[in-house]
Amino acid sequence: MSDATMSAEQSAEEVWAVEEGEERSVGVIHIVITALLIGIGAVVGAFGSFTLPLGFGVNFFWPAIAVQNVGSIWFGAWGVIAAALFPIISNGVAGTPVYVSLAYIPANAVQAFLPAWAFRQFKGDPRLRKGRDWAIFLISITLGNIFGAFWGPMVVLKSFGLLTTDSLPLFIWGWFAGNEIAGIVFGVILLKALSGVVIRSRAFVKKWFA
Amino acid sequence: MNKTILGYVPEESPIYNTHPATRILFLLIVSLFPMFISAPEWNLLLVVLILILMRYSRIDFSILKLYVPVAVSMGSIILLSYTVFAGNHPEFHELARVLGIRIYYERILDAITVYFRILPMIFIMIYFLSTSRERDIIVAMRSLRIPYAVTYLVAMALRAVGMVIEDFSIVRQAEQARGFDPVGKSIFYKMRKFVMYIIPLFALALRRADEFANALIARGYSFTGLLSNPKRADYVLTHYQAHYWDYLISFVLIVMLVALVVMRYGLGMLSLEGSLTEQLLRAWLLN
């Protein structure tokens, strides 16, 4: 039986299940995939930061959110680590001060962590086969983006004295919409197009680290 | 010429006489300066000093063109945030009323203060990225005794950024060869079509991950090996040495930071009240 046929027959539970006798351990491939995710995220994120910037790393359209969401679903904690780190590079290239970028780390980490956790906890299929998988994806990324949208403007930008209280809603909506739309559009396409390949690769992470 | 993260800088630039760790320290410490300075004229002076430093370091000023839209966008947003979206404040001096929106003197002053606080931070970041090569960041991290696995991850990540940019260019040329032409199209069209780049980029990265990992394993790398700080051949062969001026610069930066904190919170200096900007703006807008 070919790998492709096996993958097509795998149920959502089987995607995440560690088979009897199957040994999974952290390897060099995970370090490599983290580095590559940082690379993709930094380039894609910088593109977003230059396209429709609201300022201070907040954008009306940020396609790098898809790298955060999809990377963490496929590669677990490695995707979360990459998601937390790559905005420091992409924001930096776009002129965001280093301390603002560092303060965004919790928001970026949560935006990546929630989809990763939801797919593992509720055994969602990364190939988005059923309505349930779609619901897990949409709800998890929405909750992550809500957290990010509040953390970024309310905690970071407000504490740096960059925004007034009255202008917070603009930035909260800007962050949320910029991430949500791009996350849904690119996240869905990436998951549908590449999940079948990724779950068969040795880089795929079933638990959190391996 | 040295290829840096943002462009090219001549090899004989004086900036390369300093140790990379000193440059990281410069980024981290000088980025803090504007946080203790409220008076816009002092922050403007900091911008001018960084521009002088850029000239001294022989950085091509054309790199700044890339940041003009960012600076304008940030300025506009800060201004909008502090005027149009600033709400009603009867306690402030109302300057004008446009379409029912009240514009206050205090809010304009706040917007200018915030903008001139963020501007030096952007210039410091540009200066750092314009003068730093991938290897500089790695060397700096190693000098600061950051664990091997972390340094290696950062090295690979920085290399990956370069590779993804190359991949991006290849994918774009491939799309153009097939007749895709986004020139003159709206920004929304370009955003929609961005999917044509993101999928190939991911697919290439996945394929490359295997090649990368196999190459590392073939050279004896293992995850435990990465974590346990073994002695390995260093791919950065240039040996950097910290000179006395590196220690001197670091010392001066720390002293300046302490001095700023004392001036701001001990002596009440560098504040907005009584600053030159405040006096000029008050004279212009209120009198």
Side-chain angles (χ1 to χ4, degrees), chain A residues 182-203:
Chain A
I184 292 172
V185 174
F186 296 130
V188 167
I189 291 170
L190 281 169
L191 286 174
K192 296 286 274 181
L194 296 175
S195 286
V197 180
V198 174
I199 60 176
R200 277 183 283 126
S201 73
R202 63 183 165 136

Side-chain angles (χ1 to χ4, degrees), chain B residues 12-64:
Chain B
E12 57 276 12
S13 164
I15 188 70
Y16 296 118
N17 292 332
T18 58
H19 193 276
T22 312
R23 277 174 261 156
I24 292 240
L25 200 70
F26 179 87
L27 168 76
L28 295 176
I29 292 183
V30 181
S31 290
L32 285 172
F33 287 2
M35 292 187 196
F36 301 108
I37 303 172
S38 294
E41 62 270 18
W42 284 103
N43 279 323
L44 189 63
L45 183 68
L46 192 55
V47 171
V48 173
L49 288 175
I50 293 161
L51 284 171
I52 292 169
L53 217 48
M54 285 173 84
R55 171 63 72 196
Y56 177 68
S57 306
R58 302 192 192 176
I59 293 169
D60 185 357
F61 272 36
S62 64
I63 197 83
L64 294 176

Side-chain angles (χ1 to χ4, degrees), chain A residues 2-69:
Chain A
S2 72
D3 277 354
T5 321
M6 280 173 67
S7 161
E9 288 172 1
Q10 266 187 330
S11 67
E13 280 77 17
E14 285 166 341
V15 167
W16 301 110
V18 178
E19 302 296 326
E20 206 179 316
E22 181 185 355
E23 276 188 33
R24 301 194 70 82
S25 58
V26 177
V28 171
I29 185 82
H30 298 115
I31 300 284
V32 171
I33 207 76
T34 309
L36 288 170
L37 281 176
I38 293 174
I40 298 177
V43 173
V44 175
F47 170 85
S49 299
F50 279 109
T51 312
L52 280 176
L54 248 177
F56 321 116
V58 184
N59 311 285
F60 274 125
F61 183 77
W62 199 57
I65 185 71
V67 181
Q68 292 187 331
N69 297 153

Side-chain angles (χ1 to χ4, degrees), chain B residues 107-151:
Chain B
R107 285 306 195 195
I108 291 178
L109 188 60
D110 285 343
I112 291 171
T113 307
V114 167
Y115 187 60
F116 279 92
R117 186 174 266 178
I118 207 88
L119 218 51
M121 295 188 193
I122 296 173
F123 274 84
I124 293 159
M125 199 71 197
I126 297 170
Y127 179 64
F128 176 75
L129 294 176
S130 301
T131 52
S132 296
R133 300 162 291 186
E134 287 168 21
R135 66 162 68 177
D136 293 335
I137 294 171
I138 305 310
V139 169
M141 290 176 76
R142 286 179 189 168
S143 318
L144 298 169
R145 302 275 183 267
I146 289 170
Y148 182 80
V150 179
T151 315

Side-chain angles (χ1 to χ4, degrees), chain A residues 54 93 95 99 166-167 189 202, chain B residues 28 67 77 81 85-86 122 214:
Chain A
L54 248 177
V93 171
Y99 290 105
D166 302 299
S167 65
I189 291 170
R202 63 183 165 136
Chain B
L28 295 176
Y67 290 90
I77 284 158
S81 159
F85 299 102
I122 296 173
N214 288 339

